[in-house]
Amino acid sequence: MNSDSFASAFGGMSRRMFLERLGGVGGSALLLAGMSALGFGIASASERPPTLGGGGGKKVVVLGAGLAGLTSAYELSRAGYEVTVLEARGFAGGRCQTARKGFKLQELGGEEQVCDFDDGLYLNHGPWRIPYHHRSTLHYTREFNVPLEVVVNDNDAAYVYFEKGSGPLAGKPVRKGQVAADIRGYSAEILAKQVKQGALDQQMTAEDREQFIAYLRREGYLTEDLAYKGTDGRGFAVNPGAGTDPGPGKESTPFAMTDVLHSNAWRTLSSVAGYEQQRTMFQPIGGMDQIPKAFEKRVGQMIKYSSLVKQIRQDGSGVSVTYTDGTGKTSTLQADYCICTIPLSVLRQMDVGVSQKFKDAIGAVSYSLVGKIGLQMKTRFWEENHHIYGGHIYTDDPNVGTISLPSTGWQGRKGVILGYYNFGSNAAKVSALDVSGRAALALATGQKVFPEYKDSFETAFAASWHRIEHNLGGWAQWDEQARAEAYPVLCEPDGRIYLAGEHLSYLTGWQAGAIESAWQQIAKLDQRVHAA
Amino acid sequence: MNSDSFASAFGGMSRRMFLERLGGVGGSALLLAGMSALGFGIASASERPPTLGGGGGKKVVVLGAGLAGLTSAYELSRAGYEVTVLEARGFAGGRCQTARKGFKLQELGGEEQVCDFDDGLYLNHGPWRIPYHHRSTLHYTREFNVPLEVVVNDNDAAYVYFEKGSGPLAGKPVRKGQVAADIRGYSAEILAKQVKQGALDQQMTAEDREQFIAYLRREGYLTEDLAYKGTDGRGFAVNPGAGTDPGPGKESTPFAMTDVLHSNAWRTLSSVAGYEQQRTMFQPIGGMDQIPKAFEKRVGQMIKYSSLVKQIRQDGSGVSVTYTDGTGKTSTLQADYCICTIPLSVLRQMDVGVSQKFKDAIGAVSYSLVGKIGLQMKTRFWEENHHIYGGHIYTDDPNVGTISLPSTGWQGRKGVILGYYNFGSNAAKVSALDVSGRAALALATGQKVFPEYKDSFETAFAASWHRIEHNLGGWAQWDEQARAEAYPVLCEPDGRIYLAGEHLSYLTGWQAGAIESAWQQIAKLDQRVHAA
């Protein structure tokens, strides 16, 4: 591996940095053997926290006890920094919240909700999924022994419910796997016949064409004469079973291609899942907040809860942060450095002693409008009657978007469905309703998919992140210009103030973005301490 | 719904039977509403056990305490039959076994194995997966509160390792999702360009062609000019992350189409998973034997363990079964009817009082040769170094077939890999080796995929079902002629003897086949009792 390809394979890390990291990890021989045997390297530079030089008692004030703040506090304190965390809320986690019985939420200008789900049921109204390649998040679930379970993020048995198409499949729940089998089957048939008829004779060798047709036959379940006539993979009309009746069962009949095309249901398909949606996905057993709770066990004593930052000042020798605590008392905290993880949507309204350029950059990003609602259902009708275990119901109702079925409590008595997951102007519109109005909207669409929906509904809990104090949005949404101009400014410290959070990553909206940003910023801070 | 389509939708059940069943179940209004709203019916006739008329103390002897025997004993005894089960082994479950510390297995003519996996680790060397549409199996996990977890049965991050192709991807572990993205992307490109150039102008309307191209663009991640140039769905060369470095990361480069074609790796792809392999799949937490253990709690007192059937006789008034118990004592048990779930591979060697036609039919089926090995690894290197969480490594080494990664104990310290899953003559060949020879063979292939394999290996447990007493094979393999001629004979009772088991179903090798066969046979027996 030459040094160019080395640098590109390891995210621009120098060879020295890379070897240092490996040295601290153990098993380097294996890792290197693996890499060369496999012909590709470790994709991410950020699998593990940075090795810090050591704080030697330097004081760091961390603003915000979300994932970025918790990560900073945990790693810096382990390295000998003296850390204090100021957190506006009475609990850690930031947007990583789990609503269960007794959880309270009051949106700005809204009613106070007290979650009244049955014991054991919950909604992750913030982050809810961990893709297998978010190695940073998985680093901490492993280190802290947070037990995980699989999120079923793709389920061919789940329905697509699209109303806006036309033809016999529009406005009807259709199983995604049936749409996939049919349109891919017909596509394979058309393409295989084209190849057979010589369409690619100029482009491909005879041997390749033969292999290609063999692939298409397999992919599309084609007959020997290259026709798609359905497949057991789309399900049976009568399932096979015992004896002679049902015996072999009865195959299902494919949809007509034109009906699939007009239904729009194919919009849910792609060759492989997009990067952020890929299997295997996980969730902590019992709720996503198990992750901040695990951090809290380790750094909880450093956190000053219910502490609202009022002013941030810095000079050549340190940072001072003025805040009010839960009793309303105002205090000022002195530190050598500050890691500020406050969302930019909130930070831009605060009194922060940074340069004008930095302030302008803070103001240059918008935050997503996003809403979720959890609907407690008194039966798991989707499992019992429809035989759908987890996964998502895709709708083309933009107020609802995705209805998601729980990947926990399989075969239990009740369950909490994610009743909508909406964005942008739709999220704004829905969030203008009170919670019962939001539930009614969710139920109206769900009822079109599942006839049991309204009868089964018991109680709802809703969150609209753009209306939630201390967040004012779901996640940072960088446009191209802001990414090019403002983002690099904010990735570097302003004096002694370092920003960190999902907003300073290309994994916006994911916990991994927050964690990896924290890793990067504390490494910079630590290098500076040691260079000094 | 007219009565023809009714019969076909409900597996030939009469409308009367159907309504009777629904009546016993509750929620019929909902179910019917659902069916009509959704435009399709319940696919399987066998979601729930039959409603039995009641045994009134009639005696039934059940031979075998596998899933078919346990189901028969549970349902018949609840309905008032007096049931005795004779089981050759010291435990219930039949082929549904879980090997964990202390589990003993001696293959015919082989060494005695005592499983020495670490506490908490196990191998399901019999059935190991429950597809979501095996409603009969899921009926009992729900009724008995057997907690389930997801089996990751498809994982795009898992490797395909095919040696027998040619070109640069042969003999190299390649991530399945990369192969899928590339060949589907190129196919979509070729097809979209064909459509654009008018290849389908005679077959499709202009509107359909436009939709079709829109589908192909989406499916294959094509650029605006219909080219496939890769996708983030195939993974990054450098993962996106924090700050400006790695920042957006670095996209990966697609394989050349000819390389994919020559690699043979496309043989692992199909438009949707085949019927038996579909998501969502489950396993009981802690091992598949949690299912027979749950049955045992309810019918254990009816089971005479370590009881070997020597002779089965019947006449116009009853059945007598002679057996030896664990002490070597021979006894004869009288009953009104017999449910015999002994595998045909074993039954055909026994002294059974049935007609010649029935005997001939029992002899007409062959049983699969099948082997599995569990390899305890001291680290979960596939998760830690390769970022593969569950799923299967497909190989073209027929002695190994599939290597399967555990879908339990995520991020734990150790794990048990299924080191091979082989069939037919390959299973025969491998089973001729002793256990350490089998492990060596499994390790040699696994080592080509994972450089950590041999170093991590600690201990093995292997099972070759064709060499296991009381089973003599994995499952019934009906050829076309036997299915047409012998199978229907065996589905009907011979006098007072009813056969049941996976072999009397079209779900051979699955627990659902055993359960649904039992349901069908006990329903017949019960009808006869009530007709008498």
Side-chain angles (χ1 to χ4, degrees):
Chain A
M1 193 180 261
N2 66 34
S3 81
D4 271 355
S5 66
F6 188 92
S8 78
F10 296 99
M13 260 195 295
S14 72
R15 187 181 288 266
R16 190 190 52 76
M17 273 180 67
F18 174 78
L19 291 175
E20 276 176 12
R21 285 205 188 165
L22 266 188
V25 160
S28 61
L30 275 185
L31 261 175
L32 288 169
M35 282 159 42
S36 85
L38 299 174
F40 54 81
I42 301 163
S44 170
S46 305
E47 293 197 45
R48 295 177 186 85
T51 303
L52 302 179
K58 287 274 179 197
K59 288 185 185 174
V60 179
V61 58
V62 174
L63 306 183
L67 267 292
L70 291 168
T71 298
S72 301
Y74 177 69
E75 298 297 342
L76 286 173
S77 61
R78 286 175 83 197
Y81 288 86
E82 195 183 298
V83 178
T84 306
V85 184
L86 298 178
E87 167 55 45
R89 293 191 170 93
F91 56 90
R95 278 157 280 183
C96 179
Q97 300 179 7
T98 299
R100 57 173 73 79
K101 192 188 250 338
F103 182 88
K104 287 179 188 167
L105 178 69
Q106 183 160 22
E107 294 176 7
L108 293 168
E111 69 213 277
E112 188 188 60
Q113 285 184 80
V114 183
C115 180
D116 63 347
F117 292 154
D118 284 13
D119 284 330
L121 299 181
Y122 64 84
L123 173 75
N124 292 321
H125 52 287
W128 54 311
R129 299 177 294 186
I130 308 172
Y132 76 94
H133 53 67
H134 281 188
R135 301 171 195 175
S136 50
T137 313
L138 291 171
H139 167 80
Y140 287 114
T141 57
R142 183 167 190 271
E143 178 152 331
F144 299 158
N145 291 309
V146 176
L148 301 178
E149 62 189 347
V150 169
V151 172
V152 176
N153 199 48
D154 187 14
N155 186 349
D156 277 349
Y159 298 130
V160 180
Y161 180 78
F162 276 14
E163 287 186 326
K164 290 175 190 143
S166 59
L169 302 180
K172 244 172 131 166
V174 181
R175 294 197 193 255
K176 178 163 165 276
Q178 300 196 319
V179 175
D182 292 346
I183 194 151
R184 289 182 178 149
Y186 291 124
S187 298
E189 172 178 338
I190 294 168
L191 185 50
K193 286 178 173 168
Q194 291 284 323
V195 177
K196 195 83 177 175
Q197 285 161 22
L200 301 184
D201 285 6
Q202 305 308 310
Q203 296 170 239
M204 276 180 146
T205 67
E207 195 198 338
D208 282 10
R209 291 197 307 268
E210 202 180 300
Q211 290 282 79
F212 192 32
I213 289 174
Y215 154 68
L216 290 167
R217 276 197 62 189
R218 192 174 177 97
E219 167 80 18
Y221 293 99
L222 306 185
T223 60
E224 211 164 324
D225 57 345
L226 307 181
Y228 174 68
K229 296 190 168 163
T231 158
D232 68 18
R234 75 189 300 291
F236 281 76
V238 178
N239 276 338
T244 53
D245 174 13
K250 193 169 179 298
E251 290 202 359
S252 61
T253 308
F255 300 133
M257 186 172 180
T258 185
D259 293 345
V260 174
L261 288 174
H262 285 262
S263 73
N264 283 340
W266 51 264
R267 291 183 193 277
T268 61
L269 304 178
S270 55
S271 61
V272 292
Y275 177 66
E276 292 190 326
Q277 299 297 325
Q278 288 187 334
R279 286 188 301 275
T280 306
M281 292 189 116
F282 293 103
Q283 62 191 0
I285 294 174
M288 194 59 90
D289 66 353
Q290 300 307 305
I291 296 178
K293 280 182 197 302
F295 271 107
E296 246 175 336
K297 274 188 203 160
R298 288 150 180 97
V299 300
Q301 77 287 358
M302 301 169 208
I303 305 175
K304 294 183 187 291
Y305 294 100
S306 305
S307 296
L308 279 169
V309 173
K310 295 292 172 193
Q311 194 184 60
I312 307 171
R313 288 285 177 271
Q314 59 175 328
D315 60 25
S317 63
V319 182
S320 67
V321 179
T322 304
Y323 66 98
T324 57
D325 65 15
T327 69
K329 200 186 111 196
T330 300
S331 311
T332 296
L333 206 145
Q334 306 289 338
D336 297 298
Y337 298 97
C338 173
I339 303 272
C340 175
T341 73
I342 296 170
L344 303 183
S345 47
V346 175
L347 191 65
R348 64 184 165 217
Q349 302 175 15
M350 292 173 65
D351 178 3
V352 189
V354 288
S355 68
Q356 191 57 44
K357 186 182 173 194
F358 208 76
K359 271 187 192 157
D360 290 346
I362 289 172
V365 62
S366 64
Y367 266 62
S368 67
L369 296 89
V370 51
K372 282 186 180 174
I373 193 166
L375 306 171
Q376 178 176 311
M377 297 293 185
K378 66 176 169 242
T379 66
R380 294 174 77 98
F381 53 81
W382 57 95
E383 295 178 356
E384 289 160 29
N385 302 341
H386 300 264
H387 316 293
I388 305 174
Y389 295 82
H392 313 300
I393 309 297
Y394 297 104
T395 80
D396 59 359
D397 173 353
N399 291 328
V400 168
T402 303
I403 296 171
S404 190
L405 306 173
S407 289
T408 194
W410 305 114
Q411 301 201 303
R413 207 163 59 85
K414 299 186 175 185
V416 172
I417 283 181
L418 177 66
Y420 61 64
Y421 191 16
N422 52 30
F423 305 94
S425 60
N426 300 106
K429 194 167 69 184
V430 173
S431 71
L433 303 171
D434 62 12
V435 174
S436 70
R438 298 179 199 177
L441 177 144
L443 290 170
T445 296
Q447 182 70 30
K448 297 179 187 174
V449 183
F450 293 108
E452 304 91 335
Y453 216 72
K454 285 186 182 174
D455 279 351
S456 191
F457 170 67
E458 291 186 325
T459 184
F461 181 88
S464 296
W465 284 101
H466 47 287
R467 284 187 60 182
I468 295 178
E469 199 185 3
H470 313 308
N471 298 107
L472 302 180
W475 52 81
Q477 286 186 309
W478 295 98
D479 62 28
E480 215 173 315
Q481 190 188 348
R483 197 57 112 167
E485 295 170 8
Y487 178 81
V489 172
L490 301 179
C491 289
E492 294 305 318
D494 183 282
R496 292 170 170 267
I497 298 172
Y498 293 73
L499 304 189
E502 55 83 24
H503 47 283
L504 289 190
S505 79
Y506 279 76
L507 304 169
T508 49
W510 295 94
Q511 295 172 101
I515 295 169
E516 292 175 35
S517 166
W519 284 354
Q520 197 162 83
Q521 298 299 70
I522 61 174
K524 278 186 205 163
L525 190 159
D526 182 68
Q527 276 165 5
R528 173 167 167 184
V529 166
H530 286 270
Chain B
M1 195 180 261
N2 67 33
S3 81
D4 272 356
S5 66
F6 189 91
S8 78
F10 296 99
M13 260 195 296
S14 71
R15 186 182 287 267
R16 190 189 52 76
M17 273 181 67
F18 174 77
L19 291 175
E20 275 176 13
R21 286 204 188 165
L22 266 189
V25 160
S28 61
L30 274 187
L31 262 174
L32 288 169
M35 284 157 42
S36 85
L38 300 174
F40 54 82
I42 302 163
S44 170
S46 304
E47 292 196 47
R48 296 178 184 86
T51 304
L52 302 179
K58 286 275 180 196
K59 287 184 185 172
V60 178
V61 58
V62 173
L63 306 182
L67 267 292
L70 291 167
T71 299
S72 301
Y74 177 69
E75 297 297 343
L76 286 171
S77 61
R78 287 175 83 197
Y81 289 86
E82 196 180 298
V83 177
T84 306
V85 183
L86 297 179
E87 167 55 45
R89 292 190 171 94
F91 57 90
R95 277 157 281 183
C96 177
Q97 298 179 9
T98 299
R100 57 174 75 78
K101 193 189 251 334
F103 182 87
K104 287 179 190 167
L105 178 69
Q106 183 160 22
E107 294 177 6
L108 294 167
E111 69 213 276
E112 188 187 59
Q113 285 183 81
V114 183
C115 180
D116 64 346
F117 292 154
D118 283 12
D119 284 331
L121 299 181
Y122 64 83
L123 172 75
N124 292 320
H125 52 287
W128 55 312
R129 299 177 294 186
I130 308 174
Y132 75 93
H133 54 65
H134 281 187
R135 302 172 196 174
S136 49
T137 312
L138 292 171
H139 168 80
Y140 287 114
T141 56
R142 182 167 191 270
E143 179 152 331
F144 299 157
N145 291 310
V146 176
L148 302 178
E149 62 189 347
V150 169
V151 172
V152 177
N153 198 50
D154 187 14
N155 187 348
D156 276 349
Y159 298 130
V160 180
Y161 179 79
F162 276 15
E163 288 185 325
K164 290 176 188 139
S166 60
L169 302 179
K172 243 173 132 167
V174 182
R175 295 197 193 253
K176 179 164 166 273
Q178 300 196 319
V179 175
D182 292 345
I183 193 153
R184 288 181 179 151
Y186 291 125
S187 297
E189 171 178 339
I190 294 168
L191 185 49
K193 285 178 175 170
Q194 291 284 323
V195 177
K196 196 85 178 174
Q197 285 160 22
L200 300 183
D201 285 5
Q202 304 309 309
Q203 295 170 238
M204 277 179 143
T205 67
E207 193 197 340
D208 282 10
R209 292 198 305 271
E210 200 180 304
Q211 290 282 79
F212 191 33
I213 288 174
Y215 154 70
L216 291 167
R217 278 198 61 188
R218 192 173 178 99
E219 167 79 18
Y221 294 98
L222 306 186
T223 61
E224 210 165 324
D225 57 345
L226 307 181
Y228 174 68
K229 296 189 168 164
T231 158
D232 67 18
R234 74 188 301 292
F236 282 76
V238 177
N239 276 339
T244 53
D245 176 12
K250 193 169 177 300
E251 290 204 357
S252 60
T253 308
F255 300 133
M257 185 172 182
T258 185
D259 292 345
V260 174
L261 289 173
H262 285 261
S263 73
N264 284 340
W266 51 264
R267 291 183 192 276
T268 61
L269 304 178
S270 55
S271 61
V272 291
Y275 177 66
E276 293 189 327
Q277 299 298 325
Q278 288 187 334
R279 285 187 301 273
T280 308
M281 291 188 117
F282 293 103
Q283 62 191 2
I285 294 174
M288 193 59 90
D289 67 351
Q290 299 306 306
I291 296 178
K293 280 183 199 299
F295 271 107
E296 245 175 336
K297 273 190 203 159
R298 288 148 181 99
V299 301
Q301 76 288 357
M302 301 169 207
I303 305 175
K304 292 181 188 294
Y305 293 99
S306 305
S307 295
L308 281 170
V309 173
K310 295 295 173 188
Q311 193 185 61
I312 307 170
R313 288 287 177 269
Q314 59 173 328
D315 59 25
S317 62
V319 181
S320 67
V321 178
T322 304
Y323 66 97
T324 57
D325 66 18
T327 68
K329 201 186 109 197
T330 299
S331 309
T332 296
L333 206 148
Q334 307 289 339
D336 297 299
Y337 299 96
C338 174
I339 304 274
C340 175
T341 72
I342 297 169
L344 303 182
S345 47
V346 176
L347 191 64
R348 64 185 165 215
Q349 301 175 15
M350 293 173 64
D351 178 4
V352 189
V354 289
S355 68
Q356 192 56 46
K357 184 182 173 192
F358 208 75
K359 272 186 192 157
D360 291 346
I362 289 172
V365 63
S366 63
Y367 266 64
S368 66
L369 295 89
V370 52
K372 282 186 180 174
I373 194 166
L375 306 172
Q376 178 177 313
M377 298 294 186
K378 67 176 169 238
T379 64
R380 294 173 77 100
F381 54 82
W382 56 96
E383 295 177 357
E384 289 159 28
N385 301 342
H386 300 265
H387 316 293
I388 305 174
Y389 295 83
H392 314 300
I393 309 296
Y394 297 104
T395 80
D396 58 359
D397 173 353
N399 291 328
V400 168
T402 303
I403 296 171
S404 190
L405 306 173
S407 289
T408 194
W410 305 113
Q411 301 200 304
R413 207 163 60 84
K414 298 185 176 186
V416 173
I417 283 182
L418 177 65
Y420 61 65
Y421 191 15
N422 52 29
F423 304 95
S425 59
N426 300 104
K429 194 168 68 184
V430 173
S431 71
L433 303 171
D434 62 13
V435 173
S436 70
R438 298 180 199 176
L441 177 145
L443 291 170
T445 297
Q447 182 69 30
K448 298 179 187 174
V449 183
F450 294 108
E452 305 91 335
Y453 217 72
K454 285 184 182 175
D455 279 350
S456 190
F457 170 68
E458 291 186 324
T459 184
F461 182 89
S464 296
W465 283 100
H466 48 287
R467 284 187 60 182
I468 295 179
E469 199 187 3
H470 314 310
N471 298 107
L472 302 180
W475 52 82
Q477 286 186 310
W478 296 97
D479 62 27
E480 214 174 314
Q481 190 187 349
R483 196 60 111 166
E485 294 169 9
Y487 178 82
V489 172
L490 300 179
C491 289
E492 294 304 318
D494 182 283
R496 289 168 172 267
I497 298 172
Y498 293 74
L499 304 190
E502 54 83 22
H503 46 284
L504 290 189
S505 79
Y506 280 76
L507 304 169
T508 50
W510 295 94
Q511 295 172 105
I515 295 169
E516 292 175 35
S517 166
W519 284 354
Q520 197 163 82
Q521 298 299 68
I522 62 174
K524 276 185 206 165
L525 190 161
D526 182 70
Q527 276 165 4
R528 174 169 165 181
V529 165
H530 287 269

